[in-house]
């Protein structure tokens, strides 16, 4: 038997039919009889035939594949968004290729190239927090391929976007802490160009101003927002002797680091310091005390992002039809931020 992958020509030869008949049978063409379809599928299985989606995409102009690029898949938020995207994609007989940039701009560029080489019908992406040049995304648009951004977006690209109202989520969280009697609220943010942190910072500052509480730059800590960063930021504030009565972090991971450090310093949460995060990661409901956070509606975001993508796919002019969808987040109030009697 010859080596290498089986092709439709091998199936055709075995069944003594034409390659075009095999192709139509594999694509469930109504012109082909059920009996022939069964024979073709049986022989394809025997020969371990794997369809070449790139060749198929070249012929039909459609690969039925979507590239999904996320900074990391091991966050509940991103894995839930992907689940929402797959819910819609699977209904429409599309498959999803998931790639991770690991917050590395170079890896992000390489991944975009790999997805384009795989002939995906379009790309859905959330930008890595260290990305400052967006030429690789412009290349997707220049090729006339649909691109939809979600959560982490940039205003430097004219594309369809799906986001939550980060400003509203941060404003409501800060307002809640103020209502619990807090006046010296530390805020953990990121210095990066990413929209989500800028909007959360703006929500925090406006809630303070609306309550006639001055914004104190000494209470704003910038970092990469991981657990270790939260620990470092909390240690910085305590070491400097800056008075504070609450911490509102733009990331659940950083607020978890803050909780650990407060515990080590025998500072009681919530009676001495109140805490709130952002993201509603599963661990926030299992900590002691459970942490107040903002739910980002990740599965609905995934579904809406996929729906936006498929609407775009139908259009002739992919560039001009940009659409921004803003979903409302939900403040989940738990014990870490509540006034104690």
């Amino acid at each position: 038997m010859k080596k290498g992958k089986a092709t439709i020509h091998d199936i055709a030869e075995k069944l003594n039919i034409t390659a075009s008949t095999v192709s139509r049978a594999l694509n469930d063409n109504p012109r082909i009889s059920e009996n022939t379809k069964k024979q073709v599928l049986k022989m394809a299985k025997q020969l371990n035939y794997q369809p070449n989606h790139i060749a198929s995409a070249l012929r039909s102009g459609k690969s039925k594949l979507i590239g999904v690029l996320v900074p990391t898949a091991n966050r509940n938020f991103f894995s839930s968004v992907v689940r929402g995207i797959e819910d819609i994609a699977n209904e429409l007989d599309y498959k999803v290729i998931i790639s991770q940039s690991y917050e590395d701009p170079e890896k992000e560029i390489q991944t975009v190239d790999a997805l384009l080489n795989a002939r995906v019908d379009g790309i859905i992406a959330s930008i890595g927090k260290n990305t400052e040049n967006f030429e690789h995304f412009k290349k997707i648009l220049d090729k006339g391929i649909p691109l939809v951004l979600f959560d982490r977006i940039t205003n430097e690209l004219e594309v369809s976007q799906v986001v939550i109202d980060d400003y509203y989520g941060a404003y409501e969280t800060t307002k809640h802490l103020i209502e619990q009697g807090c006046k010296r609220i530390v805020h953990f943010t990121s210095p990066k160009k990413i929209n989500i942190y800028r909007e959360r910072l703006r929500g925090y500052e406006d809630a303070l101003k609306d309550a006639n509480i001055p914004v104190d730059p000494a209470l704003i800590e910038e970092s990469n927002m991981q657990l270790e960063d939260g620990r470092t930021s909390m240690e910085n504030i305590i070491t400097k002797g800056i008075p504070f009565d609450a911490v509102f972090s733009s990331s659940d991971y950083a607020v978890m680091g803050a909780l650990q450090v407060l515990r080590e310093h025998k500072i009681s949460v919530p009676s001495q310091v109140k805490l709130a995060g952002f993201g509603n990661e599963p661990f926030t409901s299992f900590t002691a005390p459970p942490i107040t956070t903002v739910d980002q509606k990740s599965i609905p975001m995934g579904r809406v992002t996929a729906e936006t993508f498929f609407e775009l796919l139908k259009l002739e002019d992919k560039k001009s039809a940009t659409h921004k969808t803003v979903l409302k987040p939900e403040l989940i109030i738990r014990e870490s931020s509540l006034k104690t009697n």
Side-chain angles (χ1 to χ4, degrees):
M1 188 171 166
K2 74 174 193 177
K3 300 259 184 187
K5 287 182 179 173
T7 67
I8 58 170
H9 298 283
D10 299 325
I11 299 169
E13 198 180 309
K14 291 276 187 191
L15 296 173
N16 203 21
I17 55 178
T18 65
S20 59
T21 301
V22 173
S23 177
R24 287 193 190 106
L26 290 169
N27 287 303
D28 204 19
N29 189 304
R31 286 165 57 191
I32 305 299
S33 73
E34 286 304 316
N35 186 41
T36 303
K37 284 179 193 172
K38 275 180 190 162
Q39 286 182 321
V40 167
L41 288 171
K42 188 178 174 188
M43 184 55 67
K45 198 171 181 184
Q46 276 178 25
L47 296 177
N48 197 22
Y49 167 76
Q50 298 292 326
N52 182 341
H53 85 265
I54 292 180
S56 168
L58 288 168
R59 284 194 302 275
S60 69
K62 288 271 182 288
S63 66
K64 307 284 274 185
L65 293 173
I66 310 172
V68 176
L69 176 55
V70 294
T72 176
N74 70 349
R75 292 279 188 274
N76 181 62
F77 171 72
F78 288 115
S79 57
S80 298
V81 171
V82 168
R83 185 181 142 194
I85 292 169
E86 285 191 311
D87 283 349
I88 301 295
N90 291 342
E91 283 170 21
L92 297 169
D93 202 26
Y94 265 74
K95 296 286 176 277
V96 173
I97 299 175
I98 302 157
S99 301
Q100 302 176 75
S101 69
Y102 300 102
E103 311 283 12
D104 178 350
E106 202 50 48
K107 178 102 173 119
E108 194 172 81
I109 292 166
Q110 291 165 6
T111 303
V112 166
D113 284 339
L115 290 171
L116 291 174
N117 289 337
R119 302 261 170 192
V120 293
D121 289 345
I123 293 174
I124 292 171
S126 190
I127 298 171
K129 66 171 74 156
N130 299 313
T131 301
E132 297 191 349
N133 181 320
F134 304 102
E135 286 306 313
H136 49 302
F137 290 115
K138 286 178 185 158
K139 182 158 76 173
I140 300 168
L141 299 172
D142 290 342
K143 286 179 180 285
I145 291 167
L147 171 65
V148 178
L149 296 179
F150 72 91
D151 187 50
R152 299 193 197 166
I153 59 168
T154 173
N155 295 327
E156 290 181 36
L157 295 168
E158 284 285 315
V159 291
S160 288
Q161 304 168 342
V162 181
V163 294
I164 62 155
D165 192 335
D166 287 287
Y167 172 88
Y168 171 82
Y171 186 97
E172 288 299 302
T173 306
T174 309
K175 185 175 146 204
H176 161 70
L177 290 168
I178 293 165
E179 285 166 353
Q180 299 304 303
C182 304
K183 288 187 169 61
R184 301 277 301 164
I185 304 169
V186 171
H187 183 53
F188 292 171
T189 185
S190 169
K192 306 298 180 188
K193 273 191 170 182
I194 299 299
N195 60 302
I196 58 173
Y197 299 121
R198 278 204 311 268
E199 285 300 291
R200 290 170 196 176
L201 175 62
R202 200 167 66 83
Y204 158 81
E205 290 179 338
D206 282 0
L208 291 175
K209 286 172 192 165
D210 289 350
N212 296 314
I213 298 170
V215 175
D216 183 352
L219 293 173
I220 298 170
E221 281 280 323
E222 292 185 348
S223 77
N224 263 337
M225 311 297 287
Q226 302 307 308
L227 186 138
E228 274 307 313
D229 300 307
R231 289 185 60 87
T232 304
S233 293
M234 196 73 273
E235 286 286 3
N236 286 347
I237 295 284
I238 293 169
T239 305
K240 287 175 190 168
I242 298 167
F244 70 102
D245 52 18
V247 178
F248 165 42
S249 168
S250 275
S251 145
D252 281 341
Y253 287 87
V255 87
M256 185 71 197
L259 177 61
Q260 290 176 354
V261 168
L262 290 168
R263 195 175 285 149
E264 287 159 17
H265 283 267
K266 306 284 191 290
I267 297 170
S268 169
V269 176
S271 60
Q272 288 173 277
V273 170
K274 292 169 181 44
L275 294 183
F278 208 110
N280 198 20
E281 288 288 337
F283 62 77
T284 55
S285 60
F286 302 126
T287 53
I291 297 172
T292 291
T293 185
V294 177
D295 184 78
Q296 294 176 272
K297 305 293 177 194
S298 47
I299 292 176
M301 180 181 275
R303 294 181 70 89
V304 171
T305 302
E307 284 161 3
T308 304
F309 172 84
F310 285 111
E311 284 300 315
L312 196 55
L313 201 57
K314 286 183 204 164
L315 302 172
E316 286 299 312
D317 184 1
K318 316 277 191 236
K319 273 189 175 180
S320 64
T322 59
H323 182 69
K324 185 169 184 175
T325 305
V326 181
L327 305 175
K328 203 155 225 188
E330 182 188 355
L331 176 61
I332 311 284
I333 296 170
R334 299 193 182 113
E335 196 187 325
S336 72
S337 66
L338 290 173
K339 236 187 259 184
T340 47
N341 293 327

